[in-house]
Amino acid sequence: MEFKKNILCIGAGYVGGPTMAVIALKCPGYRIEVVDISAERIRRWNSDSIPIFEPGLDEIVKQVRGKNLFFSTEIEKGIKNADIIFVSVNTPTKTFGEGAGMASDLQYWEKTAHEIVEFSRGDKIIVEKSTLPVRTAEAMERILKVGNRGRRFEVLSNPEFLAEGSAVADLLEPDRVLIGAHQTPGGKRAEKELVDIYAHWVPREKIITTNLWSSELSKLVANAFLAQRISSVNAISALCEKADADISDIAYAVGSDSRVGPKFLNASVGFGGSCFKKDILNLVYICKTYGLTEVADYWEMVVKMNDYQKRRFVQRMIKEMFNTVAEKKIALFGFAFKANTGDTRESPAIYVTRKLLEERAFVSITDPQALKNAKEDLRGIDDRVTYEPDPYKAAEDAYAIAVLTEWDEYEHLDFERIYQSMKKPAFIFDGRNILDHKKLHEIGFNVYPIGKTSFTHFD
Ligand code: UDX
Ligand code: UDX
């Protein structure tokens, strides 16, 4: 079949994979190739067990793979054939040198830019899909201009707002698509090409076009705002525990104001995920670079408050269990950074486990999707850890359960049975406020939710 255009995506990760699968589904006239340096990842994308667990993704990949969606490791060939190249390689926080712990590590990204220059034969549109510091496109353009031998590279910014666990739904019905382009005739032409792709299924009024820098910065700010809501509600949850107020009632009362809105106000053990912390620290670093100390400090507090919430959660566990968890088995219900994903990047469960191990507890971890990643995260420190797919077995002989991920199935467990199998007094620390606390108390548990009065059997 003759295809209208060839799209290449470099980086077959959480963002690149699902995004290209949905574009392939909605744009049968485009040929889409996804390449990655990891041969193992590509092998899995071409197998029956794709490397990412996302509801609905499997079906879409099966429908389009081999028709207009292809996965390979042939980066050079991919670049040569492509009209439009999406760059979706990872941009982790730098762990070394200038800006360590804050700035983005752009080495993969820069390497990719060099490869594009080296292997390109004709003009190309380059789309930044990775979240990048503001004005990164400028750096990419500099690299692309060196030795371009008369070829034109037009750089666009098209940040991805999908959330894990709902990636397919977010891609099929996005709140908005954001495209940043240079406000030049060439920039506008490239912008139109990308708008045309999304317009196959996204209403035109939801496709926002801006200049490049606004688009890059919007992505960082969107994540910073979302994380800030969680840190705000978590800050108040600490006050609620002192003041006999209920954080769920407060979140409902506050969120009912249509100016605030009800979403993203669930108090928790803390936010995790690959983006929030990384993007806020990146924003903080950029502000510092421009000498905007107060602005940097303001946003950094969002991350500090999140660290406080995680720390507070473990400290409370230890304090309530008579100031010691040494030699006690503690069951962690959930290890993923949120429900419906196997991803554990920056999961609060990692911090909680480390702290419990430091206190010499035995930790039994259960999770429907994330045990494989949990083993990776705890490699080398897990001689007192067991990984147990069955939550009933995980809780056997435990002194306490800590709910760290809001998996639906935890709400429907037989807690009578669990209580019988545990050591007494039995504790539950509900880090997601998903359980029926009154009922658990009636069963016999001592129950500690987040931001609510605890229910105990002690005087
Ligand atoms: C990544 C970025 O981390 C994020 O900032 C951005 O918003 C979207 O892209 P994600 O897809 O979650 O997010 O990252 P990851 O799952 O790690 O996937 C990146 C892929 O790029 C990996 O499969 C990696 O092997 C691949 N890669 C990395 C390359 O193909 N070439 C490289 O040079 C480096
Ligand atoms: C986020 C953004 O939502 C998405 O737009 C962006 O593209 C990538 O980063 P993601 O990290 O997949 O997506 O998950 P998200 O649903 O935002 O949750 C992040 C963390 O916040 C999770 O640990 C979640 O449990 C926590 N959270 C979320 C809360 O603690 N309370 C809430 O009310 C909502």
Side-chain angles (χ1 to χ4, degrees), residues 160-162 164 219 264 266 268 271-272 276 337-338 432:
E160 186 46 66
F161 296 102
L162 64 80
E164 281 175 39
K219 168 69 195 205
F264 259 68
N266 291 323
S268 66
F271 62 73
F276 280 180
F337 81 96
K338 64 174 187 178
R432 295 290 181 168

Side-chain angles (χ1 to χ4, degrees), residues 287-457:
C287 293
K288 283 190 176 159
T289 310
Y290 286 117
L292 302 170
T293 311
E294 285 78 0
V295 185
D297 291 348
Y298 175 77
W299 288 107
E300 195 169 8
M301 261 324 281
V302 174
V303 175
K304 286 189 177 159
M305 185 54 65
N306 197 50
D307 292 340
Y308 166 73
Q309 187 75 350
K310 292 188 277 190
R311 199 164 61 238
R312 202 170 77 76
F313 185 81
V314 188
Q315 282 171 350
R316 190 176 186 212
M317 285 180 78
I318 297 165
K319 177 174 157 276
E320 298 300 342
M321 293 173 75
F322 318 113
N323 286 310
T324 176
V325 290
E327 308 306 316
K328 292 178 182 170
K329 176 176 171 182
I330 315 270
L332 302 187
F333 278 23
F335 203 86
F337 81 96
K338 64 174 187 178
N340 301 319
T341 172
D343 193 351
T344 60
R345 289 179 290 178
E346 297 293 337
S347 176
I350 301 174
Y351 175 85
V352 171
T353 309
R354 280 179 172 274
K355 284 287 154 197
L356 292 174
L357 292 175
E358 275 171 32
E359 295 291 332
R360 303 275 162 90
F362 289 101
V363 180
S364 158
I365 299 171
T366 184
D367 190 290
Q369 292 292 339
L371 290 186
K372 195 166 162 274
N373 283 332
K375 279 181 202 161
E376 285 290 316
D377 297 329
L378 302 173
R379 203 200 313 221
I381 56 161
D382 66 350
D383 46 325
R384 293 164 84 91
V385 178
T386 47
Y387 303 93
E388 176 51 67
D390 179 353
Y392 292 102
K393 284 201 185 129
E396 257 172 38
D397 291 323
Y399 286 80
I401 294 171
V403 179
L404 300 184
T405 312
E406 72 282 20
W407 288 103
D408 268 351
E409 49 242 74
Y410 297 154
E411 291 174 52
H412 308 296
L413 293 172
D414 179 352
F415 278 98
E416 283 279 1
R417 179 180 155 198
I418 290 177
Y419 180 73
Q420 296 308 331
S421 77
M422 286 175 67
K423 298 273 197 221
K424 310 294 172 333
F427 294 82
I428 287 198
F429 298 89
D430 186 355
R432 295 290 181 168
N433 285 344
I434 53 167
L435 302 180
D436 183 341
H437 303 136
K438 258 208 179 99
K439 198 169 147 210
L440 291 172
H441 184 243
E442 279 161 23
I443 292 173
F445 284 103
N446 298 296
V447 189
Y448 299 85
I450 299 262
K452 293 169 191 269
T453 316
S454 48
F455 297 86
T456 75
H457 296 281

